[in-house]
Amino acid sequence: MTGKGRISLFSLVVAVALLPVVAGPAAAQTGDVRGQVRNGAGQALPGITVKLLRAGSKDAVEEKSDTEGRFHFGGLKGGVYIVAASPDGYAPVTCPGTRIVGGMEKSFELQLRPDGGEPSTCTAAPAP
């Protein structure tokens, strides 16, 4: 093997050996889903239970919206997530599945409408 070939082989061995060190932290990053719950008039709705379901899982996690109608699910592993709410007196709403990858944050606005009227809606919102 020539000197040039040895350097290339050495570089390859070093690169492969360092791959877990370089890729590890990026792969371990988590993402967030957050949003706000409002009524049809645009007013914040506190105390609304919002559910988050990861595709392929049967278990949902829940958060209650705060006094400003905001909710937050943090530390999420990569995957596809569905946000939903179905509080008493309002039409249920389900946000389409959204893919989360390390370091990503997705935001939604849930607009709840009274039962029997227009359907509730979910729209993507810019991240705060």
Side-chain angles (χ1 to χ4, degrees):
M1 200 178 264
T2 66
K4 187 175 182 181
R6 285 187 196 131
I7 293 173
S8 296
L9 181 58
F10 176 76
S11 297
L12 179 61
V13 169
V14 169
V16 170
L18 290 176
L19 188 59
V21 174
V22 174
Q29 287 183 341
T30 58
D32 292 1
V33 170
R34 62 178 67 235
Q36 189 168 25
V37 184
R38 298 178 183 270
N39 63 18
Q43 299 166 323
L45 290 175
I48 300 294
T49 299
V50 179
K51 296 179 182 181
L52 183 73
L53 178 67
R54 183 173 183 197
S57 173
K58 295 178 182 177
D59 299 322
V61 291
E62 298 180 349
E63 288 287 330
K64 290 226 184 242
S65 59
D66 66 13
T67 57
E68 295 178 357
R70 298 187 194 286
F71 62 89
H72 176 237
F73 298 96
L76 303 174
K77 294 179 182 177
V80 175
Y81 290 87
I82 297 168
V83 177
S86 55
D88 290 339
Y90 292 96
V93 63
T94 301
C95 301
T98 187
R99 180 170 299 283
I100 297 294
V101 295
M104 181 181 283
E105 181 176 299
K106 296 282 185 134
S107 295
F108 297 95
E109 182 173 306
L110 307 179
Q111 191 169 57
L112 300 181
R113 310 263 186 187
D115 270 337
E118 295 180 42
S120 296
T121 61
C122 174
T123 55

